[in-house]
Amino acid sequence: MDADNMVGFGGKQAWLAVRDGDPARVLEALGLRDLGEVRWRDGIDLAHLTDDRVAVTPPLPGARDTSWVLAVGRYLLRPDTVVDVVGLSARLHTEVQFFATHRVTESHRWQRAVDGELVRTFGYVGQTGDVTSWHGDPDPAERAAGLPATLVDEESTVLVSERDVLTVADGWSIDPARLDGKAPGPLRVGAAA
């Protein structure tokens, strides 16, 4: 394929970050049919405009001097899609992170599992102001995004935006909105069975 440029994403989207991942293994672990390689623009467009496709990046340099494979697609937002970061982390024997953000409903969440153990989960719905999930303690990336050190009770005031999700992603793995420049390789696209 000709030289390609990376295309950033993040808004109204969901994605996984897999430490030291292999794109083909990530597609397999997600139970998706591998449709092959595509240019970045085409893959990101498919991931954003359809609800049955996932685009998977080649390994990209990111946080903690580690490479990360990102798997992105509205498929991961579907109500009938179960994103089991703990199971994926155990199956792939690594760290797996899940991020989702939707600015219309102000629904934002993230999860992190390492070697099959849930480390952290956070969920927030801005329309109602509800924290929908909270497991583990916020780390420095989450504190930089404005989370309190602890959730005192369900009445605690927590405000989270799409930008905060990207801040946490940047601290944990990669801020996908900032992907630009020459791509280290094409995307792979997978389809729901």
Side-chain angles (χ1 to χ4, degrees):
M1 295 185 81
D2 295 334
D4 196 7
N5 287 320
M6 292 188 285
V7 175
F9 60 85
K12 293 167 70 172
Q13 193 58 275
W15 68 96
L16 293 161
V18 180
R19 186 182 70 215
D20 298 324
D22 170 80
R25 286 195 64 219
V26 170
L27 283 172
E28 181 183 335
L30 289 169
L32 301 173
R33 247 178 332 117
D34 189 340
L35 300 179
E37 297 179 350
V38 298
R39 295 179 62 82
W40 276 67
R41 169 57 61 199
D42 297 336
I44 297 301
D45 285 350
L46 276 171
H48 186 73
L49 298 173
T50 66
D51 71 352
D52 65 343
R53 301 284 193 269
V54 172
V56 180
T57 70
L60 303 170
R64 297 176 274 147
D65 295 321
T66 306
S67 71
W68 296 89
V69 167
L70 304 180
V72 57
R74 292 178 62 84
Y75 169 76
L76 301 171
L77 285 173
R78 286 178 18 180
D80 61 332
T81 299
V82 176
V83 181
D84 178 8
V85 295
V86 173
L88 287 169
S89 175
R91 194 171 313 119
L92 295 169
H93 306 288
T94 192
E95 181 174 345
V96 175
Q97 304 163 3
F98 174 74
F99 301 93
T101 182
H102 198 284
R103 70 181 79 103
V104 175
T105 60
E106 287 298 327
S107 177
H108 311 294
R109 57 191 167 146
W110 52 79
Q111 294 177 300
R112 184 180 195 180
V114 179
D115 297 322
E117 294 292 325
L118 183 63
V119 174
R120 180 75 174 122
T121 185
F122 173 80
Y124 173 78
V125 177
Q127 282 185 331
T128 60
D130 293 331
V131 173
T132 58
S133 61
W134 182 292
H135 170 83
D137 296 323
D139 68 4
E142 293 173 283
R143 297 298 309 273
L147 285 188
T150 60
L151 185 65
V152 178
D153 57 41
E154 280 71 39
E155 300 302 315
S156 296
T157 301
V158 176
L159 296 174
V160 177
S161 71
E162 183 175 271
R163 181 70 238 153
D164 297 326
V165 176
L166 297 171
T167 296
V168 173
D170 190 46
W172 286 4
S173 52
I174 295 174
D175 175 351
R178 295 192 329 199
L179 293 176
D180 64 2
K182 187 173 190 246
L187 297 179
R188 295 198 77 77
V189 171

